[in-house]
């Protein structure tokens, strides 16, 4: 039993003094983090004030007078068809000089 008490006493004496104590660097880190959280909270509050209460189109005011005019509804895909009709052909087959067309560009 005396050996167990001796070993226990030796183990307690070997611990350094600063175990379990916080240093000034830890306090500085906590203060810096608290300041960062305060600035982030203020920034978020400013941004949330700019968000509209509702995203419904009926509640939004038009930005320009042109948006006040109702645009007639188009069929789905009609914009794509108009774009394809106006676009030039991306790939043209090679032309032969005897076809009557101009020779292919090189």
């Amino acid at each position: 039993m005396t050996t167990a008490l001796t070993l226990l006493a030796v183990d307690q004496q070997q611990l350094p003094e600063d175990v379990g104590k916080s240093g000034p660097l830890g306090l500085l880190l906590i203060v810096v983090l608290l300041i960062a959280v305060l600035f982030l909270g203020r920034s978020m509050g400013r941004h949330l004030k700019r968000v509209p209460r509702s995203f419904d189109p009926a509640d939004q005011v038009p930005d320009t007078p042109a948006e006040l005019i109702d645009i007639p509804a188009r069929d789905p895909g009609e914009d794509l068809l108009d774009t394809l009709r106006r676009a030039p052909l991306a790939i043209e087959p090679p032309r032969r000089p005897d076809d009557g067309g101009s020779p292919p560009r090189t």
Side-chain angles (χ1 to χ4, degrees), residues 11-23:
D11 284 341
Q12 289 179 355
Q13 290 175 357
Q14 291 179 354
L15 294 175
E17 288 181 18
D18 60 349
V19 171
K21 298 179 183 176
S22 61

Side-chain angles (χ1 to χ4, degrees), residues 23-90:
L25 186 63
L27 177 64
L28 178 68
L29 181 65
I30 289 173
V31 170
V32 167
L33 288 174
L34 284 175
I35 291 171
V37 167
L38 287 174
F39 279 119
L40 286 172
R42 287 182 63 193
S43 174
M44 182 182 62
R46 289 180 188 159
H47 282 86
L48 285 176
K49 286 180 184 176
R50 296 179 190 163
V51 175
R53 291 190 182 272
S54 173
F55 289 102
D56 293 335
D59 296 341
Q60 294 180 355
V61 177
D63 293 334
T64 63
E67 292 178 1
L68 293 172
I69 302 171
D70 291 335
I71 300 172
R74 299 180 73 175
D75 292 333
E78 198 163 328
D79 292 331
L80 177 63
L81 287 174
D82 288 342
T83 305
L84 291 174
R85 286 181 190 128
R86 282 185 261 126
L89 294 176

Side-chain angles (χ1 to χ4, degrees), residues 86-97:
R86 282 185 261 126
L89 294 176
I91 300 173
E92 294 182 7
R95 297 181 186 163
R96 296 185 183 157

